[in-house]
Amino acid sequence: MAFCADIAEGAWDDAKRAAFVEHVAKKVKEDSDREASDATLHREMYELFHLCLTSKVKESEVGAALKDLVSKLDAGQLEDCVVDLVWLVGEEALDAAGKEALRPKIAPLVNQIIASGAAKEDVLKERVSEEVLQEATLIKSAADARSRLQRLRTGKVYSQQKFNLLREESEGYSKLIVELEQGYGLTEANVERVSNNVQALIAYFNLDPNRVLDVMLDCYESSLGQPLYCHLVRKFGATSLIHVVGFKFQGYQQAGQTCPLSLYELAAALCKEGVLSVKDIYPHLAPADAEAAKDMEQHWTSTVQAVKKMRVFTLSKMEDGTDKDEQPFDAAPHAGSSDNQKLHLTAALLDVGDWESAEYLLSALAPIIPTSYPPVAKALCGLIRRAIAPLYTELLGTLKLLPLMQRPEVEPVSGKGVPSVSSWEELEQIAPMLAHLSVYLHMDPVLFVQLCRLLKKVVGDLKGVQPPAHLRDMLLVLVSALT
């Protein structure tokens, strides 16, 4: 028998309440196992609630005991126990035959439980049946509560989420295009008004939000120099944006068409502004990594075979003229990569200066050597030139060569993770870029000369001291570009 039942004989006074509280707190804390302590707490509290429903203990005494236990036990554990037992004793009082007299006691007991802070009213409404809540006067009608809950579940789980395209009205899209096709007329002053108008059009004309987002991205694609479109795109959920942009790339791939460069520039601009993550859009791009790696392996095999054929000199082919029919072999690894969306997106990210996203793609595509694709290598060279421009300009001033420069000034670097090298100590920051570029530095002779001048100055200042590791790596890149 529980301790509460043992001390229930006679009047329940402050001494008995204090003894009960100390006993329960001690027993619960002695049990190292959570299940054992929960069982002890449930047993003792059940006896206390049952004594209250049978009028052996007053509701106010139960409230006082619970208030004392709140300060001695874990609040979450006590609340779980109390809510479970309210459900249990409530169901017993409602369902058991001959216990109809217990029903009027439920409401005072629940009121004392809420007043003591042992359980919140919202938690009770979540976990206790509607009939018990009605007896506890927490709700007016159990039938109405069940009906509302059923309507809520139906609307949330079973209602069709896809908009019926036949219900959409073309007038809504015409007004939508008028709002969005402002291009550079979109300003800080009117962008919030345009956003509110777009949301109103979606609601009034029953427009599909995904189609609205698609139209908005098309408008942004036609005016990539207008960054305020990102403010409008942010109004939509990140998941919807990923699916819509991914569907654009997949649509071109499935149709066997080449994606326009503006689509890559759009995705790069969204990544740079933080609206889209390259990690989320990566699975939607073609081809798959395994397929690209297989194509690269076949390319190396074909290259080896072509080199072997070059060593063979056959007179019979020259006499027959069959050697003229052979197609020339292109040794470039990505000579036929016009449909590789991942490489094109990498180049676009480098062009806009989003080094963080571009570095992720360069690392993910390392097995197929992404910088061997000329657009990627040239874009990376351009990004490095913009990064070292401040330091290189300072060096030219020191060498008194600045007045001789006829080339246009390089635009200042701006982007996520792109270093701006303005001192010799910061030159180390471009080492990861050069590591990815490797031998393909030869594609930009101007950058090669700039790096040679910078590193010559650094090596000259060492004065016989062992160069650091990053400097040796950068020198190796220069040497490899010469081979």
Side-chain angles (χ1 to χ4, degrees), residues 217-232:
L217 291 175
D218 288 340
C219 295
Y220 189 12
E221 187 177 348
S222 63
S223 304
L224 289 170
Q226 174 56 278
L228 290 177
Y229 277 108
C230 289
H231 178 82
L232 302 177

Side-chain angles (χ1 to χ4, degrees), residues 9 29 81 136 142 163 177-178 195 199 201 219-220 228 231 283 349 460:
E9 301 297 332
K29 293 179 180 178
C81 172
F163 283 73
I177 293 174
V178 170
S195 176
Q199 296 180 52
L201 291 173
C219 295
Y220 189 12
L228 290 177
H231 178 82
L349 289 169

Side-chain angles (χ1 to χ4, degrees), residues 7 25 51 63 65 170 177 199 336 345 368 373 387 435 467:
I7 64 174
L51 291 174
S170 58
I177 293 174
Q199 296 180 52
L345 181 58
I368 63 173
Y373 185 51

Side-chain angles (χ1 to χ4, degrees), residues 257-274:
Q257 301 177 0
T258 302
C259 290
L261 294 179
S262 59
L263 180 57
Y264 297 111
E265 294 172 356
L266 170 66
L270 293 173
C271 291
K272 181 180 179 181
E273 296 295 331

Side-chain angles (χ1 to χ4, degrees), residues 61-120:
E61 294 293 341
V62 174
L66 289 174
K67 190 173 183 179
D68 294 339
L69 285 173
V70 168
S71 60
K72 295 179 178 295
L73 299 178
D74 178 68
Q77 183 182 17
L78 180 62
E79 184 177 45
D80 289 340
C81 172
V82 170
V83 173
D84 292 342
L85 293 178
V86 168
W87 171 83
L88 178 60
V89 298
E91 295 295 331
E92 288 181 348
L94 294 177
D95 297 339
K99 293 186 177 182
E100 292 79 3
L102 301 180
R103 293 187 180 184
K105 295 287 185 177
I106 295 178
L109 175 61
V110 173
N111 290 333
Q112 288 294 328
I113 290 174
I114 296 175
S116 66
K120 299 182 179 63

Side-chain angles (χ1 to χ4, degrees), residues 295-351:
D295 293 341
M296 176 62 74
E297 186 176 353
Q298 292 177 352
H299 168 78
W300 294 129
T301 303
S302 302
T303 302
V304 173
Q305 293 177 354
V307 171
K308 290 181 179 179
K309 287 182 180 180
M310 293 178 184
R311 299 177 181 178
V312 180
F313 185 72
T314 307
L315 293 175
S316 60
K317 288 186 177 181
M318 295 180 63
E319 294 174 355
D320 299 339
T322 55
D323 60 334
K324 298 180 180 179
D325 298 333
E326 295 183 1
Q327 297 294 330
F329 177 75
D330 193 344
H334 299 290
S337 298
S338 60
D339 58 344
N340 193 315
Q341 298 175 348
K342 297 176 181 178
L343 292 176
H344 282 289
L345 181 58
T346 304
L349 289 169
L350 291 170
D351 284 332

